Amino acid sequence: LLLQETKVDPETVDFGWLPGYHRFWNRAAKPGYSGTGILTKHAPLSVLNGIGLPEHDNEGRVVTLEYPGCYIVCVYTPNAQAELARLPYRLAWDAAFLAFIQTLERNKPVLVAGDLNVAHQEIDLANPKTNRFNPGFSEQERESFGKILEAGFHDAFREFDPSPKKYSWRSYRANARANNVGWRIDYHVATPGIAARATSASIYKDERFSDHSPLIIEYAVG
């Protein structure tokens, strides 16, 4: 279970209701901000917080677990913010993160999952025309995400399910959830061998946990 924008000090959370899980957390330096975490029943070979660059690692945005057959990377990509105020940093982050996962890939397959804060194509949000220059759908962010695919990684959900109106984030405003007005900004991005083993893909909407809905993909072991 990969979690983003956790905002929490895990030492203050009672996990007694969830026995049998290993817990790995990367906190932001700023309390109550950002953060990522992974809960898993499978003990990893190693754990890495961040991407190895101090200018990008103080916001707790990446946790990587190494297993015998692959790396699992939990990521919470920075938001470009209103009027694209943080776009330059966002693009710098994208480039650094891509370099990081490419370095991992040289050793073994990689599965990246989390909130990438971008709707790649018009099919990935309900109102593409009115959001053309907004954070998460700017041309620069979409092109930057495209570089991950150009590098050989695969958008596992979209390849498995090419149908429209599949959104993982909906605003709390204007009854967006009930009307299914949203964005697909949560992803599994995987090396080809992992992506090809997807056997099911869904966005869980039966219960509401936040403005995001969990993205669930099952893969055949092999």
Side-chain angles (χ1 to χ4, degrees):
L1 178 64
L2 279 63
L3 306 171
Q4 301 85 46
E5 200 174 4
T6 53
K7 299 184 177 182
V8 68
D9 178 352
E11 300 303 321
T12 67
V13 179
D14 180 8
F15 287 101
W17 58 275
L18 196 66
Y21 280 80
H22 304 277
R23 302 184 295 272
F24 304 99
W25 232 258
N26 190 4
R27 295 173 52 192
K30 177 182 177 181
Y33 180 74
S34 188
T36 46
I38 301 179
L39 306 176
T40 175
K41 292 183 178 180
H42 306 284
L45 299 176
S46 66
V47 182
L48 176 65
N49 282 354
I51 61 175
L53 296 173
E55 64 268 32
H56 294 304
D57 285 346
N58 65 345
E59 295 185 355
R61 293 188 177 275
V62 179
V63 181
T64 301
L65 304 187
E66 179 187 5
Y67 289 98
C70 68
Y71 291 99
I72 305 293
V73 182
C74 176
V75 61
Y76 175 42
T77 299
N79 190 297
Q81 298 185 351
E83 299 182 355
L84 303 179
R86 210 184 189 198
L87 180 62
Y89 176 74
R90 161 62 187 268
L91 298 179
W93 159 273
D94 284 350
F97 182 72
L98 175 56
F100 170 72
I101 60 177
Q102 286 179 306
T103 298
L104 296 179
E105 185 191 15
R106 295 188 189 107
N107 188 36
K108 60 181 68 176
V110 178
L111 172 61
V112 175
D115 178 359
L116 272 65
N117 261 319
V118 62
H120 184 216
Q121 303 289 356
E122 290 191 356
I123 192 177
D124 295 320
L125 70 167
N127 298 308
K129 292 183 179 179
T130 57
N131 283 290
R132 181 69 62 187
F133 303 105
N134 286 337
F137 197 61
S138 68
E139 294 298 325
Q140 298 95 320
E141 291 166 285
R142 296 168 64 195
E143 179 181 345
S144 187
F145 176 81
K147 291 178 181 178
I148 297 177
L149 306 184
E150 292 169 8
F153 292 86
H154 290 240
D155 180 349
F157 179 89
R158 182 52 75 205
E159 291 186 8
F160 191 90
D161 186 349
S163 61
K165 299 184 179 180
K166 298 297 176 67
Y167 309 128
S168 64
W169 177 86
R170 298 164 190 79
S171 170
Y172 285 120
R173 301 174 181 175
N175 213 21
R177 181 180 175 87
N179 295 323
N180 196 30
V181 176
W183 299 49
R184 187 179 73 97
I185 60 174
D186 299 274
Y187 293 80
H188 280 206
V189 174
T191 45
I194 294 178
R197 297 205 302 267
T199 59
S200 69
S202 61
I203 296 173
Y204 181 81
K205 296 183 289 185
D206 293 350
E207 299 175 73
R208 184 166 195 161
F209 304 101
S210 73
D211 48 359
H212 290 258
S213 296
L215 169 62
I216 303 170
I217 301 183
E218 296 184 352
Y219 300 89
V221 176

